[in-house]
Amino acid sequence: MAIKKKRLLYMQLKEDILADYENKPYYSPLPGERELCDIYNVSRPTVRRALEILEEEGCIMRFAGKGAFFIGTKKQQGNKKAASSRIAFYNQVRLRGDYTSSKVLTQKAEIVSPAVAEILGIPEGSMVFHLERLRYINGKLWTLADSYIDYGLCPELLEYDYAERSLHNTLAGHGYVPFKARRCITAQRANEYDAFHLGLQEGAPICRTGTFVYDKAGKLLEYAVSRGDIYKIRYDITTYNQEDTENLNMAGTQEMDWENQADRAVREREEKNMDNENLLW
């Protein structure tokens, strides 16, 4: 009976934390373990177990020496814009109740290619963090993905294992919180390399997505390319008529303000590069 009571206590604490944080901004920090003990009047083992469950369920991220951060549980509803946590593949999958993992093919600091240097806006010959992964949903292969980040931005990225870890959440844990993503989606035929890793015939149709991830100030944090079987990719898009949404004009104004503040030179460089298939794709 005592074991059952203890289990119920940390599960109740988990629910209490979720209830207290559900309306707080993405990546809000949680108090330390001792403070959580005082706030909720529970023991330290109870707090630790509750945090473990929250992390397993994709509701928080924990970093040694930095603490725990709430990354949300809500799905988009009504006319509300999606939260930042939905940018990451990892969070998108976990928030809908599925499980994601990765097989890391490449994880290193390397000299940037001219094409990627131009996209990231860094000098040729600079170093980038390059992460290449096969990404799975519920154990089934989904995409082959490459991510490129200016190595000088966050050298600590090399220290982590991304087999079951979110790159975006790790970036956020070091103070670089992804805020906005722009995507360019094209259909093409698989080359020999992509076909081998995706288990397809060379020349088979694949979906290729180029993604540009920014922080709130408009700084480009990451350039990523993912390729997947075109017959497995599905996009759910919700649109609204203007008269049906009270907050649409406000959302549009906020978006326009962000665009005006962003570096227009970076945007123009992206648009030029996205039109050049030999350069990007």
Side-chain angles (χ1 to χ4, degrees):
M1 184 64 67
I3 294 176
K4 183 177 180 181
K5 184 177 180 181
K6 186 175 182 180
R7 178 178 180 274
L8 290 175
L9 186 58
Y10 65 68
M11 291 300 292
Q12 182 60 53
L13 175 59
K14 183 203 81 165
E15 296 301 326
D16 289 344
I17 292 174
L18 288 180
D20 290 343
Y21 275 79
E22 64 177 349
N23 294 317
K24 292 193 176 183
Y26 171 68
Y27 229 77
S28 294
L30 273 69
E33 290 184 1
R34 289 183 181 178
E35 189 174 350
L36 287 171
C37 292
D38 294 338
I39 293 172
Y40 295 100
N41 193 28
V42 294
S43 67
R44 195 130 182 199
T46 299
V47 167
R48 288 176 176 171
R49 184 64 184 126
L51 293 178
E52 287 174 2
I53 296 173
L54 287 169
E55 185 174 32
E56 290 169 0
E57 293 181 354
C59 300
I60 67 171
M61 288 291 294
R62 293 193 291 174
F63 299 89
K66 294 181 178 292
F69 299 84
F70 183 74
I71 61 176
T73 58
K74 290 184 178 180
K75 294 182 180 180
Q76 187 175 355
Q77 298 178 349
N79 57 6
K80 294 180 181 179
K81 298 181 72 178
S84 306
S85 61
R86 277 65 169 178
I87 292 175
F89 175 90
Y90 178 95
N91 293 335
Q92 290 174 17
V93 175
R94 294 293 293 268
L95 288 173
R96 74 186 191 204
D98 293 318
Y99 172 72
T100 178
S101 60
S102 299
K103 178 181 179 181
V104 177
L105 302 178
T106 300
Q107 181 177 330
K108 63 181 180 179
E110 64 184 25
I111 297 176
V112 66
S113 69
V116 174
E118 186 171 6
I119 293 168
L120 292 177
I122 60 177
E124 290 189 26
S126 299
M127 302 296 290
V128 290
F129 171 74
H130 177 200
L131 179 64
E132 181 183 29
R133 292 173 287 180
L134 290 170
R135 311 209 69 179
Y136 298 82
I137 297 178
N138 298 333
K140 295 182 179 180
L141 178 61
W142 200 251
T143 61
L144 170 64
D146 289 271
S147 295
Y148 301 93
I149 297 172
D150 180 3
Y151 177 74
L153 183 70
C154 188
E156 294 87 353
L157 292 176
L158 276 175
E159 300 174 4
Y160 299 96
D161 178 6
Y162 297 96
E164 296 187 9
R165 186 185 187 91
S166 166
L167 175 60
H168 281 190
N169 291 342
T170 303
L171 263 177
H174 289 278
Y176 304 100
V177 180
F179 176 74
K180 178 177 179 177
R182 301 178 64 195
R183 292 186 171 95
C184 175
I185 303 170
T186 61
Q188 65 177 56
R189 296 192 179 276
N191 59 29
E192 182 179 4
Y193 183 85
D194 292 345
F196 172 78
H197 286 291
L198 294 171
L200 302 172
Q201 293 291 325
E202 185 175 355
I206 59 175
C207 180
R208 184 178 181 103
T209 304
T211 302
F212 306 84
V213 178
Y214 303 85
D215 66 13
K216 197 167 186 178
K219 177 180 176 59
L220 184 60
L221 298 177
E222 176 201 26
Y223 167 62
V225 178
S226 63
R227 290 86 77 201
D229 185 345
I230 200 167
Y231 298 111
K232 288 185 179 179
I233 304 300
R234 188 187 84 180
Y235 291 92
D236 294 326
I237 301 174
T238 302
T239 59
Y240 303 93
N241 288 323
Q242 187 162 345
E243 64 265 26
D244 294 335
T245 58
E246 296 179 358
N247 297 330
L248 186 60
N249 288 337
M250 181 178 296
T253 301
Q254 292 172 344
E255 187 75 10
M256 183 62 70
D257 290 343
W258 186 90
E259 292 285 358
N260 289 337
Q261 294 172 13
D263 185 350
R264 294 186 180 277
V266 171
R267 290 174 49 221
E268 292 171 359
R269 181 167 61 246
E270 293 167 9
E271 291 165 0
K272 180 185 71 174
N273 289 335
M274 283 191 288
D275 289 335
N276 187 341
E277 290 190 354
N278 291 329
L279 183 61
L280 287 184
W281 315 126

